[in-house]
Amino acid sequence: MLVEQVGPHGHPVLRQRFAGAGAECLVGRDLGCDIVLDDEHAAARHAVLTVLEDGRVHVRDLGTKNGTRVDGRRIPAEAGAVLEQGEIIVGSTRLRVRTAHAPSGPERVFRRDFVRRHRTLLAAAGVSASIAFGGFLQWLKAPSSLLLGVTSAALVVLGAIALWSGLWALTTKLNHGSWHLRVHVAIVSIGAAFCAWGYWLAGVVAFATQWAVLARLGVAVVGATALAALYLHLREATAYGRRISLALAGAATVVIGAVAWVVAIGFEEGSVNRVDLGPDVRLGAQRMVPNRDLADYLAEIEELRRAAARERQKSLLNAPLADAEE
């Protein structure tokens, strides 16, 4: 049997092989044990693993308070449990056991994904595109001092990329024992370039076409790019599976988006260019008549005058004395 002690990150920190029927592996904190644990929740002599005649392993708890668990279930101290392969929890320490009955599986062909295979080219392209966007913004603000603006933008972009990729590379070193720095530089630089150029181009197209929905498309591009970048970082730096990495990346994207939205509102309220338009004013619907010639209006006025003169004549005939007094 092969017994592996699993570390906190899911990687084996100790491996021991025991061969022959009747071979025993004593686990505990005592120095006389075959696998000595640095675990305060484990007893001095906690459990014993015995290789049976058929090649399977018998696990027996030695009457401890915390007990021994096999594949998540606590085993009885008297009977124990028999397994071909599985996980044993002693105290708070995880042990993996594998025997000859457990299939080893076929050999897996070594393949590198697209980012790892082209990490140097992607990193160079992403950094160049990010620096180009920073210099472009400086040129839009102050074209007269182009050299100084581009230099400042390049230093800021390089510093941000170095800090972000350095943190992920350190996480990768702690989890996997290697830095993978170029991979993280490629991820963060390509992601930053997509976010910056995608958001700006969506804004320009929305202004040119007067379609406000295109501005929202730019926000969607930024959110999707941030989600993809965080997912790739997690897959590279941790031992999490696809579902957990996607869930963590999605949660982080939502949090970052909320923080950015709050910060944007604060900057907008404090900006001197902000204009408060007040409440919306909505006019009622009015019925419009088609345009008419001036002669038509004048003809109607003359008709009204004649009608008024006829009415006055009628009033004089009906009440002449009253009109005379006036």
Side-chain angles (χ1 to χ4, degrees):
M1 65 177 174
L2 177 67
V3 182
E4 295 178 335
Q5 181 179 348
V6 183
H9 300 292
H11 302 290
V13 297
L14 175 65
R15 283 183 173 182
Q16 292 193 32
R17 181 173 175 270
F18 300 87
E24 293 185 348
C25 173
L26 183 61
V27 182
R29 289 189 291 114
D30 190 84
L31 295 180
C33 296
D34 298 296
I35 296 181
V36 181
L37 304 180
D38 184 16
D39 186 353
E40 61 182 2
H41 299 97
R45 298 168 64 88
H46 197 105
V48 60
L49 284 64
T50 306
V51 181
L52 302 178
E53 292 287 344
D54 58 0
R56 296 185 298 173
V57 176
H58 179 263
V59 183
R60 182 166 59 91
D61 183 78
L62 299 179
T64 61
K65 294 181 179 179
N66 292 322
T68 303
R69 296 180 180 273
V70 175
D71 292 333
R73 295 182 179 181
R74 184 166 179 170
I75 63 175
E78 299 81 9
V82 178
L83 71 158
E84 296 179 355
Q85 65 175 351
E87 183 179 82
I88 301 173
I89 299 179
V90 176
S92 58
T93 304
R94 295 164 55 196
L95 301 174
R96 279 201 296 255
V97 177
R98 183 162 62 93
T99 66
H101 292 277
S104 300
E107 179 185 4
R108 185 175 180 181
V109 180
F110 177 75
R111 292 189 180 96
R112 292 188 301 177
D113 57 13
F114 181 81
V115 177
R116 289 186 181 181
R117 189 165 59 250
H118 304 286
R119 57 188 182 275
T120 303
L121 180 61
L122 291 175
V127 171
S128 301
S130 300
I131 293 176
F133 182 79
F136 176 69
L137 289 185
Q138 292 297 322
W139 177 78
L140 290 178
K141 294 180 180 178
S144 59
S145 57
L146 181 60
L147 180 60
L148 179 61
V150 171
T151 304
S152 302
L155 292 176
V156 172
V157 170
L158 289 175
I161 291 176
L163 178 60
W164 184 259
S165 57
L167 292 175
W168 282 108
L170 179 60
T171 305
T172 308
K173 176 66 175 179
L174 295 175
N175 289 329
H176 299 297
S178 56
W179 293 94
H180 297 177
L181 181 60
R182 283 180 294 173
V183 176
H184 291 293
V185 171
I187 294 173
V188 66
S189 58
I190 291 294
F194 263 100
C195 289
W197 286 106
Y199 184 78
W200 184 81
L201 289 175
V204 171
V205 175
F207 177 78
T209 59
Q210 294 298 305
W211 290 352
V213 69
L214 293 179
R216 300 178 182 178
L217 179 61
V219 177
V221 170
V222 173
T225 305
L227 176 63
L230 290 172
Y231 172 78
L232 293 176
H233 279 310
L234 288 170
R235 291 286 291 169
E236 189 70 27
T238 65
Y240 294 133
R242 295 181 179 179
R243 293 183 180 180
I244 297 179
S245 298
L246 185 60
L248 291 176
T253 302
V254 172
V255 172
I256 294 174
V259 172
W261 180 62
V262 172
V263 172
I265 291 178
F267 276 114
E268 183 181 358
E269 291 181 352
S271 176
V272 296
N273 297 323
R274 182 174 181 271
V275 178
D276 189 4
L277 300 179
D280 295 338
V281 177
R282 300 182 181 273
L283 299 178
Q286 301 293 332
R287 185 166 179 243
M288 307 299 295
V289 298
N291 293 332
R292 300 175 63 184
D293 294 334
L294 181 61
D296 296 335
Y297 287 104
L298 295 178
E300 292 181 357
I301 293 175
E302 291 299 328
E303 181 64 27
L304 291 174
R305 286 181 178 176
R306 287 193 294 269
R310 287 194 297 269
E311 293 295 330
R312 181 172 178 79
Q313 290 176 358
K314 291 179 181 180
S315 64
L316 290 175
L317 293 174
N318 295 330
L321 296 177
D323 291 340
E325 292 177 358
E326 292 179 359

